[in-house]
Amino acid sequence: MDLLSVIWNVDPVAFSIGPVEVRWYGLLYATGFLFAIWLLGKMFKSEGCPDEWADKVFIYMVIAVIVGSRLGHVFFYDWAYYKDHLSEIPMVWRGGLASHGGAIAIILCVWLMAKYMCHKSFFWLADRMYVICAPVAGIIRIGNLMNSEIYGCETTVPWAFKFVRDYPGIPIESIPECHPTQLYEAGAYFLMFFFLLWLYWKTDARKHEGLLAGIGFAWTFIARFFIEFIKNDQSDFEAGMVLNMGQLLSIPFIIFGIWIIIRAMRSDKVKS
C-alpha cells in the first residue's frame, strides 16, 4: 500500500438535530451561497446598484440552481429510472444533482433578471454572476468530497484517495486508490474565482460586457471536460462511450464561452 495515499472515511453527516441529519454537503452548499450573496452585495454597492438587487438575485439563483441541477440529473443521467418514478423527481434530499442542468437554469435566470429586474444587458449581469458563482462551484465540489462521491478512476499517483465508505467490510489494503477529482475541480474553480475577482476589481475587464462570463464558461467547462477523462462514469449507459455525458454537455458551454470572449473583445467598451 502506498503510504502517501489518503484514507478517506469522513462521515457525510456533520451533526444531527433530533431525527434530522445535517450533512456537510448541505452546510457547504449554504455557505457557498451566503458568501456569494455577500460578495455580490459588495459589487453592486460599488456600482451604485439598488440594495434589494442582491437579495432578489440570491433567492432566484438558489431556486434556479436547485431546480436546474435536479432536472439536469433526471433528464441527462437517469431518465430511464425517473420516467417510471415521476413522483421522486422533487426528492432532492435523496441526492442526484447535475451541474450542467444548474448552468442552464442560471443562464435562463440571469436573462430574466437582467431583462425584468436590472433592466441591463444579459452580459452585464452574467459577468457579475460568474464571479460569485465560481467559489460556489468549488465549495460544492468539496461537498462532493465529504460525500465520497463522483471521484476518479484508479491511479498510482501518491496523493490518491481510498474512499473507504464505498467499500464496507473491505480491508484497507484492498480498497483501490483513486483520483480525488473533486479536489481537482475545486482547485480549478477557486483559481478561476481569484482570477475573475482580480479582473473585476483591478482591471477594466468588466467594461467589456461578457468578457468575465466568457472566461468563466470556457474555464469551467474546459476543466470539466479534461477532468472527466479520469472520473468514473456517473451512469451505466456511459460505459463504452468515447466521450461521457459530462464531456458532451460541456462542449456547447465551451463554444458559448469562447464566442462570448470574442464578442466582448471586439465590442467597444461601455460605462461600468
Side-chain angles (χ1 to χ4, degrees), residues 35 186 223:
F35 174 74

Side-chain angles (χ1 to χ4, degrees), residues 16-231:
S16 298
I17 303 176
V20 179
E21 293 183 341
V22 179
R23 292 177 168 259
W24 287 111
Y25 184 86
L27 284 175
L28 289 166
Y29 216 106
T31 300
F33 274 113
L34 289 174
F35 174 74
I37 195 60
W38 171 82
L39 178 58
L40 185 63
K42 299 280 284 186
M43 295 166 68
F44 278 170
K45 184 177 181 179
S46 73
E47 299 186 55
C49 300
D51 293 337
E52 65 270 17
W53 279 10
D55 294 332
K56 291 180 179 179
V57 168
F58 175 73
I59 295 171
Y60 298 148
M61 290 302 294
V62 169
I63 295 173
V65 169
I66 294 175
V67 174
S69 297
R70 180 58 172 173
L71 293 180
H73 172 77
V74 169
F75 292 111
F76 296 150
Y77 290 98
D78 215 1
W79 180 241
Y81 173 82
Y82 284 103
K83 66 182 177 63
D84 297 319
H85 302 83
L86 297 178
S87 63
E88 296 184 22
I89 292 178
M91 300 179 183
V92 295
W93 56 89
R94 292 188 177 182
L97 300 173
S99 57
H100 292 92
I104 294 172
I106 288 173
I107 291 173
L108 177 60
C109 186
V110 168
W111 178 77
L112 290 172
M113 289 189 296
K115 183 176 179 65
Y116 297 106
M117 186 188 79
C118 300
H119 303 292
K120 292 182 177 289
S121 75
F122 165 80
F123 293 109
W124 181 91
L125 185 57
D127 283 341
R128 287 139 187 85
M129 292 307 302
Y130 224 111
V131 174
I132 69 165
C133 284
V136 178
I139 291 171
I140 288 173
R141 283 297 178 252
I142 301 299
N144 294 135
L145 178 66
M146 303 303 286
N147 279 345
S148 296
E149 61 188 2
I150 63 171
Y151 51 84
C153 56
E154 292 187 39
T155 182
T156 57
V157 298
W159 57 84
F161 275 46
K162 288 176 174 283
F163 292 94
V164 177
R165 297 186 65 84
D166 272 4
Y167 298 88
I170 304 298
I172 293 292
E173 59 271 15
S174 300
I175 296 176
E177 299 178 351
C178 301
H179 281 288
T181 48
Q182 310 99 322
L183 292 179
Y184 300 169
E185 287 193 62
Y189 302 153
F190 287 136
L191 183 60
M192 174 181 65
F193 166 62
F194 289 117
F195 181 59
L196 292 177
L197 199 63
W198 175 77
L199 287 175
Y200 178 84
W201 290 111
K202 300 299 184 180
T203 76
D204 64 353
R206 66 181 179 182
K207 295 181 180 179
H208 294 276
E209 287 192 356
L211 180 59
L212 299 178
I215 293 172
F217 274 110
W219 189 316
T220 298
F221 292 101
I222 288 174
R224 176 71 183 270
F225 182 89
F226 285 105
I227 292 173
E228 287 289 329
F229 280 116
I230 55 174
K231 283 173 67 173

